[in-house]
Each structure stands twice: as C-alpha cells, then as structure tokens.
Amino acid sequence: MSYSNELYQQVILDHNKKPRNFREIDNATHQCHGFNPLCGDDYTVFLTVGDDGIIQDISFMGSGCAISKASSSLMTHNLKGKSIDDAKIMFDEFHRMVLGEFDPESEDNHLGKLSLFKGIREFPSRIKCASLSWHSMVGALEKNEDITTE
C-alpha cells in the first residue's frame, strides 16, 4: 500500500471515529439538510456567519458512511474562520478534484489535507458520499433547506 493510501485510510478512520464539529449549532444563521439516496448518507450542515461574511462556526449532524462523515468533519475543520468566498472556492476545488477535473498536486489550491480525497475519483459511487456535506454547505449559504445528490 502506498504512503498516500495509508495516510488516506488513517485520516478517514480517525475522522469517522472522532468527527470534529459533530453537533448542532443553536441559532445557526444558515443550515441545509442533505441526502444521498445511493448510500443513505443523511446530514445537516449548520453555519454561523458573521456580518463580515466570515464563517464563525460550522458543524454537522446526521449519519452516513465513513467517507461522508470524514469528509464532513474535515470540511468543517477547514472552513471555520474562512470567508464565504473562500468556502465557495474550496467547494469548487474539492468538487472538481473528486470528479477528476482538478489535480491538487499540480495546480495551486486551497485544499490542504482535503487533497487526500483525490483518490475518490477512482470510485465513482463514492464521489457523492465525499461531496454531500460540501453541497449542503453551499446550499445553506444559498438559503436552501434541502439538497440531494440525485
């Protein structure tokens, strides 16, 4: 097993067992429920956005596979303190990366550890698992109540 695959598995297992920001935010300014009928992933993303457009707090609640939970955990960890514009840029880079349209190893990006999800592109049925909470985050910012991967 390559080093990157081993690191990917360790990060997925760690964030699945001990997800960061796995809680509901009381009085969130934004929230959106997301559902992936293919895998059964079912999460709500909560955000508190300040008047300055900075994500002061972000969290998620729900249930799903290890990939969806780890992706949600890493997303919330990485977006806290970012501007809405930066969050949307990171969504675009992450989404294009898992679809195989963006290579974080050869192009400038804002992904950091999130680039570990690059290998998801090799498993098309798991792309929706990895991206569900990201779509929910954008849905929340756009004031949508629900989104689905279908």
Side-chain angles (χ1 to χ4, degrees):
M1 182 182 323
S2 74
Y3 173 75
S4 62
N5 284 342
E6 187 175 325
L7 181 60
Y8 166 80
Q9 287 183 358
Q10 288 175 356
V11 170
I12 295 295
L13 290 173
D14 177 46
H15 281 266
N16 181 50
K17 288 180 182 178
K18 296 180 286 187
R20 283 44 156 201
N21 304 302
F22 188 69
R23 60 187 163 72
E24 184 174 338
I25 297 174
D26 293 330
N27 302 316
T29 57
H30 302 73
Q31 71 182 55
C32 180
H33 172 253
F35 182 61
N36 173 7
L38 185 65
C39 188
D41 304 319
D42 190 344
Y43 291 108
T44 300
V45 173
F46 304 90
L47 296 102
T48 300
V49 179
D51 293 337
D52 57 358
I54 301 297
I55 298 170
Q56 297 171 346
D57 201 3
I58 180 170
S59 68
F60 72 106
M61 285 293 296
S63 61
C65 69
I67 292 169
S68 66
K69 186 177 277 185
S71 179
S72 302
S73 176
L74 279 161
M75 176 193 75
T76 60
H77 178 77
N78 282 277
L79 293 182
K80 197 178 292 189
K82 300 278 193 277
S83 70
I84 290 173
D85 289 340
D86 285 344
K88 288 181 177 180
I89 289 168
M90 290 176 73
F91 163 78
D92 179 64
E93 290 176 356
F94 184 86
H95 191 242
R96 289 187 302 123
M97 176 187 68
V98 297
L99 291 174
E101 300 168 358
F102 178 78
D103 184 2
E105 293 176 8
S106 64
E107 299 177 56
D108 289 339
N109 67 80
H110 304 84
L111 295 174
K113 263 190 182 178
L114 294 164
S115 63
L116 288 171
F117 284 91
K118 177 183 172 186
I120 289 290
R121 68 180 70 181
E122 304 298 325
F123 306 96
S125 65
R126 293 302 189 190
I127 291 170
K128 291 178 180 182
C129 302
S131 62
L132 175 64
S133 286
W134 287 87
H135 285 285
S136 298
M137 179 270 299
V138 170
L141 293 174
E142 295 174 352
K143 297 291 188 176
N144 294 323
E145 291 182 16
D146 294 287
I147 62 106
T148 181
T149 57
E150 292 304 305

